[in-house]
Amino acid sequence: MVERHEHRGSASSPAPAPPREVTATALGPWPGEDPVEAARIIRGELGSPHLPFLAELPDRGVGSDALGRTASLLAELAVDVQPYGWRLVDRPGKDFRRAASALATDINVLADVAGAEENPATEIKVQLVGPLSLAAGLHLHNGERALLDYGARRDLAASLAAGVGGYLSRVAAAVPGARLVVQVDEPDIAAVLAGTIPTSSGYRTLRAVPASEARESWRVVLDALRAAGAVEAVISVPEVEAPFEQILAAGADGIAVPLKALTSRQREQLAGAVESGTSLWLGALEAAGGPLPKVAESVEAVWRPWRQLGLPADTLASIRVTPSAGLAGCSPSQATAVLGRLTQLADGLNQLAQG
C-alpha cells in the first residue's frame, strides 16, 4: 500500500481569489511539439481573468500522452509501454523516464515564459488523468487492465494521491504566487461504472466499479490535491452518462462537461449544483477544425438553457467556458483562434450576468 507523502506549500502565498465572473480556459491537449510556442500562445490568449494551463503535447509521442504523463507522477509505481499500451512494472525504464523528462521540460518552459511576463497570470491550471480512467488505461503484468483488480485500483488511487504533491510543488515554483487549479480527467468513467470496458481477450467485459468506490477514489485524490495547494479541483467527464451526483458527493469543487449533448435531466442536475455553489466548466465551443460559430450564437447556446432552467443571469458567473474537446487535432493557428473566441464568449456572457 502506498503511503501519502506530506507536502509543504511554496514560500509564496497564492494570489487572493479573483471576483466571480465568467472566464475561459481549455482542456489541456494542444497541437504541435514545441512547448515554448504553446506556453506563449496560451498565456498570451488567456490573460487575467482567464485561466492559462500547462499544455499537453501528445504529438511529441510516447510519454507526452495524458496517460503516460499522469503515470509518471505515480509514487512507488512505474510503467513501460507494450504493444497493447502502458503497463505497470517493477522498476522505471526508458518510457517512464521519457514521460518524466517531457513533463519536467514543460514545467521549466512554463517558468521561463511566466518569468518573462510583466503581469503574470494569477492562476495556472494543470491536468491529470483521474484514478478510474488511469486504472482502465494501465495494464498489469499479465496484460489485463488494472481496472480488473480491486487492490490494483486502490493502490493506483493511493499512488496518484502520493505523487501529486511533488507535481504541484514544481508547478508552484515555476509560477510563484499563482493559484493552482487542477482538472482531473475521467474520459472512461461511463464505461467504468457501466461495466462495458473489454478484457484483454475482448470476449467479455470487466465488472462495473461500484459508485461508492469511485467516490472514495476521487476523494483520496482530491484531498491530496488540496493538501498540496490546489485552490480548485474539478473533475472532467464526457456528457454521456456523466455521474454528476458521485462527483459532487466526492467533494469536487466543480464539474467540467461538454454542453452539446446534455439531457434535460443532466441540465437540471447541473443547475442544482450551480445553485449550491459548484463551479461549472461548460464545453461550449465546438472546435472540430471547421469555421468557429459566431460569438452571438455561442452566447445564446449557453444562455438559452440557462434561462429555461429558471437560473438568474448573475449565476452565469459560476461558469468557465472551454472547448468541447481537447485541441490537439487542430492546427496551432486554429487552436489559438479557439482561445480567442472563448474569451469573446466569456465577455458576452459577462455582459448578460451583469445586466
Side-chain angles (χ1 to χ4, degrees):
M1 182 71 177
V2 178
E3 295 181 359
R4 189 179 305 174
H5 302 310
E6 182 181 358
H7 169 77
R8 300 187 185 277
S10 62
S12 299
S13 299
R20 297 273 283 183
E21 60 184 306
V22 184
T23 57
T25 191
L27 298 177
W30 189 261
E33 302 179 22
D34 185 348
V36 176
E37 178 189 42
R40 286 176 175 164
I41 290 173
I42 290 166
R43 296 183 70 81
E45 294 292 330
L46 296 178
S48 293
H50 304 294
L51 180 60
F53 56 95
L54 184 64
E56 298 170 355
L57 302 171
D59 288 350
R60 289 188 299 194
V62 171
S64 290
D65 58 296
L67 191 69
R69 192 178 181 97
T70 300
S72 75
L73 304 176
L74 295 173
E76 300 177 23
L77 294 175
V79 291
D80 69 6
V81 175
Q82 295 297 310
Y84 48 77
W86 287 95
R87 178 187 66 168
L88 290 162
V89 292
D90 293 330
R91 58 184 63 85
K94 62 180 177 60
D95 301 317
F96 183 95
R97 289 192 292 271
R98 183 174 176 181
S101 175
L103 180 56
T105 295
D106 292 349
I107 294 173
N108 290 337
V109 164
L110 173 66
D112 291 341
V113 173
E117 294 171 343
E118 290 185 11
N119 297 301
T122 57
E123 295 183 308
I124 180 71
K125 175 173 72 75
V126 296
Q127 306 80 223
L128 53 88
V129 177
L132 299 168
S133 295
L134 193 63
L138 296 180
H139 298 260
L140 302 172
H141 289 269
N142 61 6
E144 270 300 355
R145 297 177 190 271
L147 191 68
L148 173 73
D149 183 84
Y150 168 74
R153 298 194 302 265
R154 179 196 59 207
D155 286 352
L156 273 173
S159 177
L160 181 59
V164 295
Y167 179 34
L168 293 197
S169 178
R170 287 187 288 157
V171 174
V175 282
R179 302 168 77 247
L180 301 180
V181 178
V182 183
Q183 172 189 315
V184 180
D185 292 322
E186 288 285 9
D188 299 318
I189 190 58
V192 167
L193 295 179
T196 58
I197 291 182
T199 60
S200 59
S201 68
Y203 291 122
R204 61 188 181 87
T205 57
L206 299 178
R207 183 176 298 174
V209 172
S212 58
E213 184 186 331
R215 290 195 303 272
E216 183 55 30
S217 294
W218 287 331
R219 189 174 291 116
V220 166
V221 174
L222 293 170
D223 286 350
L225 289 170
R226 293 192 182 98
V231 299
E232 183 179 357
V234 170
I235 295 181
S236 175
V237 291
E239 73 276 6
V240 179
E241 301 298 330
F244 297 146
E245 301 99 327
Q246 309 306 332
I247 292 172
L248 295 173
D253 297 304
I255 296 171
V257 64
L259 173 64
K260 58 183 177 180
L262 290 174
T263 65
S264 296
R265 179 174 178 272
Q266 288 178 317
R267 290 178 178 180
E268 289 172 358
Q269 288 176 310
L270 291 175
V274 166
E275 290 177 320
S276 67
T278 299
S279 176
L280 179 57
W281 296 18
L282 275 182
L285 190 65
E286 295 296 311
L292 292 174
K294 295 179 179 179
V295 176
E297 294 173 358
S298 297
V299 169
E300 183 62 19
V302 175
W303 176 233
R304 187 187 312 111
W306 208 262
R307 191 171 58 240
Q308 290 169 346
L309 289 166
L311 290 168
D314 60 5
T315 58
L316 286 168
S318 65
I319 292 178
R320 288 193 200 271
V321 289
T322 77
S324 60
L327 300 176
C330 299
S331 68
S333 61
Q334 289 170 330
T336 303
V338 168
L339 298 188
R341 185 55 53 86
L342 284 168
T343 62
Q344 293 171 333
L345 170 56
D347 288 344
L349 291 170
N350 275 320
Q351 291 176 25
L352 287 173
Q354 294 161 9

